[in-house]
Amino acid sequence: MKIQENIPGQTNDTEQLSLILEKLREEVQALKVPVGYFDSLNPRIIDRIQEQENRSFSKRLVLSFRKPLIWVPAFATVIVAVLLVFTIPAKKVSAIQSVDEWTEINMAYDASYAEEAVFAESITIDKELANSVLPNNESLTFPHKEPTADEIKAYLKEHETETDILNGY
Amino acid sequence: MPEYSDIELVELFRIADKKHYAFNLLVRKYQEKVYYFVRRMVVDHDDSDDVVQNIFIKVWNNLESFREDSKLFTWLYRIAVNESLSFLKSKQLRSYLSLSSPEAMTVKSLRDDPYFDGQEIQKRLREAIIRLPKKQQLVFNMRYYDDLSYDEMSEILGTSVGALKASYHFATKKIEYFVTSN
């Protein structure tokens, strides 16, 4: 049974539409899209393509590591590296840390450093006395006599000279 | 933007450093036609957007191996038809799970469509179209809106011209009846 015989008027490309369908066809496109939709479509497609290509690259990488030809040498390299790290002795670091130049200068220049040092020393002596580490109080007396006025002046003069050098910094 | 023929675009796409440029031109050339074709089938804008993106990703993946024994436009349309039908099929499966009929869901999204700016009669026309069987919908949209010839439609859908004419005839009769009877 031929279709052309059953459907008169539908056998060529110029079929007749009803008036209402003809009218609706000519009307303005009623389907809308968000503003700028067609401008943003291409970049979004490109983004998705790049995402897909990145995914397939990592997938290929994972698959390639399943081949023994790839993972055996890689594994061997890692083992050798680990052995090297643990077998080569580490360079010894000096236990005594050197004091940098500025710290030394500050210690010499700032009087509070000296005071703290004297204070710390006196606490230690007090503790030792309390614990009777020292034999008797006589041993604590200073053997030398009191300095004379000239000696003090000479000492101060010498000290002043040193601090003048420090002032240059 | 320069106007390239479809053959020139395909040739340009095959040159490694021109691939992106050619693809960009191709998308710009066909994006609106493809979008509106999909939108008429799928109805919802967001769904249409997803389907359109999938179509062009398929184009990107397969254009290099495109054989020029058919027109690029026809090939693109075939991808659009397949993608739209796959989407509708998956949507149908989802609607079975949600216990509502797929047709009812589509009619609902048609009525709530915020991106439709037509008269009531145009809405009725759309409703009439989406109530058609899928094959008749395709044929009607291609002929009525996209003005494709029966030969082009035959190449895209792989159906004889006679069957397409019959399909279109039945589709128009059903639509006229639906639009005028209410």
Side-chain angles (χ1 to χ4, degrees):
Chain A
M1 194 160 56
K2 286 182 181 174
I3 289 162
Q4 285 93 328
E5 286 167 7
N6 290 329
I7 309 160
Q10 297 300 312
T11 53
N12 52 42
D13 276 13
T14 55
E15 67 274 292
Q16 289 293 305
L17 284 168
S18 69
L19 277 175
I20 188 145
L21 283 181
E22 242 356 308
K23 190 174 172 286
L24 285 172
R25 195 184 200 178
E26 287 160 13
E27 281 186 17
V28 187
Q29 172 70 269
L31 296 175
K32 301 289 171 207
V33 290
V35 180
Y37 172 72
F38 288 116
D39 293 328
S40 69
L41 183 61
N42 192 34
R44 282 186 296 126
I45 293 169
I46 292 291
D47 282 351
R48 274 190 62 187
I49 288 168
Q50 269 161 0
E51 238 172 67
Q52 172 197 291
E53 285 181 352
N54 289 343
R55 263 205 312 271
S56 68
F57 174 74
S58 48
K59 208 174 174 181
R60 274 205 308 273
L61 202 70
V62 169
L63 284 174
S64 70
F65 264 86
R66 286 187 186 168
K67 294 175 187 168
L69 199 69
I70 305 288
W71 67 259
V72 168
F75 192 63
T77 313
V78 171
I79 288 175
V80 169
V82 169
L83 284 174
L84 284 174
V85 166
F86 284 103
T87 51
I88 294 174
K91 202 177 170 182
K92 283 185 180 174
V93 181
S94 171
I96 303 160
Q97 285 182 349
S98 61
V99 180
D100 66 284
E101 189 192 10
W102 274 106
T103 312
E104 269 182 80
I105 291 162
N106 283 333
M107 282 173 74
Y109 191 62
D110 192 346
S112 65
Y113 274 96
E115 279 174 16
E116 279 175 25
V118 170
F119 183 65
E121 185 70 13
S122 68
I123 290 171
T124 316
I125 292 166
D126 289 346
K127 276 183 184 171
E128 282 172 349
L129 282 173
N131 295 332
S132 304
V133 175
L134 297 170
N136 52 49
N137 286 348
E138 285 169 15
S139 63
L140 287 173
T141 55
F142 293 100
H144 57 270
K145 57 182 181 179
E146 288 291 311
T148 62
D150 290 338
E151 280 174 338
I152 292 169
K153 275 180 188 171
Y155 172 80
L156 287 174
K157 198 176 177 185
E158 197 180 302
H159 190 70
E160 206 176 344
T161 314
E162 280 175 10
T163 54
D164 282 344
I165 293 164
L166 294 170
N167 283 337
Y169 281 95
Chain B
M1 199 176 280
E3 267 296 319
Y4 288 97
S5 70
D6 287 352
I7 296 168
E8 285 170 331
L9 281 177
V10 174
E11 280 168 3
L12 211 59
F13 186 83
R14 284 176 182 149
I15 304 167
D17 60 333
K18 299 273 171 67
K19 197 173 176 173
H20 275 89
Y21 175 66
F23 185 72
N24 184 20
L25 293 178
L26 189 143
V27 172
R28 290 203 182 276
K29 188 172 180 182
Y30 287 113
Q31 62 182 1
E32 289 195 34
K33 270 189 181 176
V34 170
Y35 171 81
Y36 285 114
F37 171 76
V38 172
R39 177 83 183 273
R40 283 185 208 109
M41 292 297 295
V42 170
V43 175
D44 181 65
H45 164 75
D46 293 329
D47 292 341
S48 309
D49 180 42
D50 282 344
V51 175
V52 169
Q53 287 188 39
N54 290 342
I55 291 166
F56 282 110
I57 289 170
K58 285 215 165 152
V59 169
W60 171 273
N61 291 336
N62 298 293
L63 192 58
E64 242 166 286
S65 56
F66 168 70
R67 285 176 291 122
E68 282 151 35
D69 48 5
S70 66
K71 280 193 274 180
L72 177 69
F73 162 76
T74 316
W75 180 71
L76 195 60
Y77 246 93
R78 205 177 301 140
I79 297 174
V81 167
N82 290 337
E83 280 297 311
S84 305
L85 290 179
S86 321
F87 175 82
L88 291 170
K89 208 171 177 181
S90 65
K91 198 176 177 183
Q92 200 169 4
L93 286 172
R94 283 200 303 273
S95 70
Y96 286 139
L97 294 174
S98 68
L99 301 173
S100 58
S101 82
E103 196 182 83
M105 276 173 71
T106 317
V107 171
K108 190 183 177 304
S109 46
L110 180 74
R111 285 177 184 156
D112 301 340
D113 190 354
Y115 297 114
F116 182 79
D117 188 23
Q119 296 165 342
E120 194 52 39
I121 187 82
Q122 284 172 302
K123 216 169 230 182
R124 286 208 61 76
L125 172 64
R126 284 187 77 199
E127 199 174 328
I129 295 168
I130 61 165
R131 284 177 191 278
L132 292 172
K134 292 286 167 279
K135 188 76 183 277
Q136 279 184 19
Q137 265 188 58
L138 282 170
V139 173
F140 183 82
N141 286 338
M142 284 176 169
R143 184 86 186 126
Y144 184 75
Y145 288 112
D146 299 335
D147 218 11
L148 297 189
S149 71
Y150 282 115
D151 287 329
E152 284 170 323
M153 285 158 66
S154 169
E155 205 181 330
I156 294 163
L157 299 171
T159 312
S160 71
V161 169
L164 290 171
K165 285 178 179 175
S167 216
Y168 183 68
H169 174 75
F170 288 126
T172 49
K173 291 294 161 209
K174 285 182 195 172
I175 290 167
E176 279 164 10
Y177 176 77
F178 187 88
V179 171
T180 51
S181 64
N182 290 280

